[in-house]
Amino acid sequence: MTLRTLGLAALLALAGADSTPATQAQPSASDAWVVAPAAGATTTIGYVSIDNPTMYEIYVTGVSSDVAGSVEIAQGTPEAPTVVKELPVASFGGAVLKPGGMFLRLSGVNKPLAAGDQVPLVLPTDGGVAMKVVAEVRRP
């Protein structure tokens, strides 16, 4: 074997050693839950945690669910909410929607929800990521 052949073999071995591309972490949603609405009510509130492990700030641009006509990100009180058009999530950070802070307002709930039921949510970002999470229905 010539020196040139050995060099080529070594180069090919190094190139094939890790040929899988690095996977970059994506924003995600977790710890979601929805308040069990009163009997006959078609509006309720929910909460979710958003994690952004990327080096770029992201914006959650909306929320949707197949059990509600609309879902909005809001702040203030559930009785007098102020709708938030975009929710910023800092790079290498997160946002937690929790009681006493920001929340999700589900309107036009199209089926009865009881404690233990599951509510799918989709939270799209300005970067085209659609974070999916399942929220558990809970009693307050």
Side-chain angles (χ1 to χ4, degrees):
M1 202 182 265
T2 68
L3 187 58
R4 183 176 181 176
T5 306
L6 280 174
L8 182 56
L11 185 59
L12 289 173
L14 285 175
D18 187 9
S19 61
T20 57
T23 313
Q24 182 173 348
Q26 293 289 317
S28 62
S30 63
D31 301 324
W33 63 283
V34 171
V35 175
T42 59
T43 301
T44 190
I45 58 175
Y47 305 99
V48 66
S49 295
I50 301 163
D51 181 46
N52 179 13
T54 72
M55 69 171 74
Y56 303 103
E57 181 175 46
I58 63 168
Y59 293 86
V60 177
T61 58
V63 184
S64 64
S65 177
D66 61 2
V67 302
S70 68
V71 184
E72 300 169 310
I73 301 169
Q75 59 187 6
T77 65
E79 298 79 24
T82 301
V83 175
V84 175
K85 297 290 183 195
E86 293 182 332
L87 174 64
V89 183
S91 61
F92 301 113
V96 178
L97 282 65
K98 60 185 178 182
M102 297 182 78
F103 57 93
L104 302 176
R105 184 170 185 261
L106 292 81
S107 302
V109 175
N110 56 31
K111 69 178 193 174
L113 297 175
D117 287 349
Q118 306 268 310
V119 174
L121 299 169
V122 178
L123 296 85
T125 70
D126 61 329
V129 175
M131 297 178 287
K132 295 180 181 180
V133 65
V134 175
E136 179 183 352
V137 178
R138 300 181 186 168
R139 297 215 181 275

